[in-house]
Amino acid sequence: MSDGACSDLDSAGRITDADLVARFQKGSREVFSELTERHLRPITLIVLRMVRDEDTAKDIAQTVFLKAYEGLSSFQGTSSFKTWLYRIAVNTTTDHFRRCREHADEDVSQLPAPSMDCPSVQLDKAQSIARLRKAVTELPEKQRLTLQLRVYGEMSYSEIAEILGGTEGGARANFFQAVRTLRAGTEDRE
Amino acid sequence: MTNLRCERAERLAVRSMDEGITRADREFLSGHLAECEECRAFYRDAQSVLNMMREDMPDELDKAYLDSISAGLNKRLNEQDRRSARSGRGIQVRAGIAALLIVAAAGYYAVRQTDPSRTEVPAVKSAVAVDLYSLYGPVSDEMSEDVATWPELPESVETDFPESDRAVVTWLEPEEGSVDPLVLAF
């Protein structure tokens, strides 16, 4: 739909998210499908990397977009739509872990790691990865989320700071502390 | 970690694996790692941790998987829109009923004020406030038409009945159990 105004284009020559959001807020609900199409893949990917279960990731991803649909009319635009969406994704995933923390712990340790190595090496690797996954779940929340957004979401520290709150330096420090804690954790158990 | 140089080396080590460091920092880091076994171990382990994390994540998503998410999402969005529409209609219906009630009540009071059957009765002398329900139970039409058939009112109730034994009675029927006083006009 065109509202008669000139649309800003992003680097890929598409209408910007901000423009689509403005159209949605003026009543063009159908533009939400375009926003979904743009962000569904990266949001689902990071959620899947965090929860490691396709069904759970599917449900969380849908919930994220449903919440976005519900809240978009009152979205103030103080951050970018993408940042806002990731914030919803992080909060929804965190809520999921809070609700079923013990199950999440069991789940991560049961998954085998994909590998082309011989069975004994594969087993060692699977055990190391299971330990690492467990250690990640045991990190303080902010460190864990920073690490996951940085590694799984390949986000900049300024984006992470926007999503989680805090400063870029704080996000960098959290990442460092997370790696340090994980290194210590995996070292203790070896 | 033994000193400030080690602390700096650890931070640079993680940053070098993450976002890259300047040439000067790289020179410092490689020089320090060459002479500090503890920091070498940290560098090796931290790199292993990050590599393991990067290896241990799905790279891409199946199109069928994404399509199923989209389909499920659309279904949930449609359900939500239907719910919102129903809720909106419900609000409209309730608002409509409320408006009708207000109009009906206003009309009722207007009619009451100009009711010819009231103005035609010369005996309209007073209003008696009585908890009629608690005295007599539910009021019947017959009672309203023939004051003579009413049971005797207690002395405490101030009355000024008309000479005529017939009068037009207007009241608001209370809910059962209610003790709200009724206004009777004669």
Side-chain angles (χ1 to χ4, degrees):
Chain A
M1 181 206 123
S2 171
D3 55 10
C6 289
S7 298
D8 292 332
L9 303 180
D10 64 13
S11 55
R14 302 175 307 181
I15 298 168
T16 60
D17 284 355
D19 213 350
L20 288 173
V21 168
R23 289 180 189 198
F24 181 93
Q25 290 177 334
K26 282 179 189 164
S28 301
R29 312 292 266 189
E30 69 275 7
V31 300
F32 192 76
S33 61
E34 172 64 24
L35 288 166
T36 305
E37 198 170 312
R38 288 182 188 186
H39 298 283
L40 183 63
R41 181 182 290 271
I43 287 287
T44 306
L45 192 58
I46 193 167
V47 170
L48 180 62
R49 286 169 174 176
M50 288 162 92
V51 301
R52 299 183 177 284
D53 178 77
E54 287 202 348
D55 287 338
T56 308
K58 181 178 177 175
D59 186 53
I60 291 177
Q62 286 175 355
T63 304
V64 168
F65 283 90
L66 207 59
K67 284 181 179 175
Y69 185 78
E70 284 169 1
L72 196 51
S73 299
S74 51
F75 173 60
Q76 301 288 313
T78 48
S79 63
S80 70
F81 173 74
K82 180 186 162 190
T83 301
W84 181 68
L85 202 57
Y86 271 92
R87 200 177 296 143
I88 296 175
V90 165
N91 291 339
T92 310
T93 309
T94 304
D95 287 346
H96 163 77
F97 278 126
R98 281 186 189 143
R99 276 199 306 272
C100 52
R101 191 178 299 277
E102 66 281 8
H103 301 304
D105 285 355
E106 286 163 16
D107 287 346
V108 293
S109 56
Q110 282 167 1
L111 292 172
S115 171
M116 299 298 284
D117 297 323
C118 70
S120 64
V121 173
Q122 207 172 330
L123 183 65
D124 282 351
K125 211 169 195 174
Q127 285 172 341
S128 300
I129 286 180
R131 271 201 302 272
L132 177 64
R133 287 181 186 179
K134 191 160 189 341
V136 170
T137 65
E138 287 167 357
L139 284 172
E141 190 167 281
K142 212 147 187 182
Q143 286 183 28
R144 176 174 56 77
L145 291 172
T146 303
L147 183 77
Q148 289 174 324
L149 289 173
R150 182 73 187 154
V151 178
Y152 298 157
E154 294 167 355
M155 291 190 156
S156 71
Y157 286 113
S158 64
E159 285 176 313
I160 294 171
E162 251 198 284
I163 292 168
L164 300 181
T167 62
E168 199 177 317
R172 201 173 261 111
N174 278 328
F175 181 81
F176 171 71
Q177 282 304 332
V179 173
R180 214 160 166 245
T181 310
L182 287 181
R183 184 256 178 178
T186 49
E187 187 187 48
D188 288 348
R189 288 160 171 148
E190 276 162 8
Chain B
M1 188 165 57
T2 53
N3 55 37
L4 288 175
R5 286 172 66 80
C6 292
E7 189 176 341
R8 184 178 169 209
E10 278 194 5
R11 288 186 187 281
L12 288 175
V14 172
R15 200 178 294 181
S16 72
M17 297 165 208
D18 177 32
E19 53 186 341
I21 52 176
T22 63
R23 181 191 292 253
D25 284 340
R26 185 163 295 283
E27 280 171 10
F28 165 80
L29 180 62
S30 53
H32 182 78
L33 292 181
E35 64 190 28
C36 178
E37 189 169 342
E38 206 176 321
C39 285
R40 267 205 305 281
F42 175 85
Y43 184 88
R44 193 182 53 240
D45 294 345
Q47 190 151 48
S48 155
V49 160
L50 285 176
N51 285 345
M52 230 189 306
M53 277 194 77
R54 287 181 181 128
E55 281 172 23
D56 180 38
M57 60 184 193
D59 279 338
E60 256 317 316
L61 299 174
D62 221 27
K63 187 177 179 305
Y65 176 62
L66 277 175
D67 286 347
S68 74
I69 295 175
S70 282
L73 174 63
N74 286 335
K75 198 175 158 198
R76 287 172 74 174
L77 285 173
N78 287 337
E79 278 167 14
Q80 178 163 314
D81 279 345
R82 272 200 300 276
R83 268 201 305 275
S84 301
R86 270 203 301 272
S87 145
R89 273 200 300 277
I91 289 168
Q92 283 173 349
V93 168
R94 282 194 289 277
I97 290 171
L100 279 174
L101 285 173
I102 289 167
V103 168
Y108 169 71
Y109 283 108
V111 166
R112 264 189 73 185
Q113 295 305 314
T114 57
D115 186 352
S117 63
R118 282 191 72 213
T119 51
E120 277 170 20
V121 176
V124 176
K125 292 179 179 173
S126 65
V128 182
V130 169
D131 183 351
L132 191 65
Y133 191 88
S134 66
L135 288 173
Y136 308 121
V139 180
S140 69
D141 284 348
E142 291 78 9
M143 284 172 68
S144 72
E145 287 170 2
D146 189 353
V147 177
T149 64
W150 291 14
E152 206 171 321
L153 288 168
E155 284 178 7
S156 59
V157 177
E158 195 180 323
T159 59
D160 186 5
F161 284 104
E163 288 175 4
S164 160
D165 62 354
R166 297 187 69 79
V168 172
V169 181
T170 313
W171 69 82
L172 294 172
E173 184 110 42
E175 297 273 326
E176 192 161 345
S178 162
V179 291
D180 287 341
L182 301 175
V183 176
L184 307 179
F186 300 93

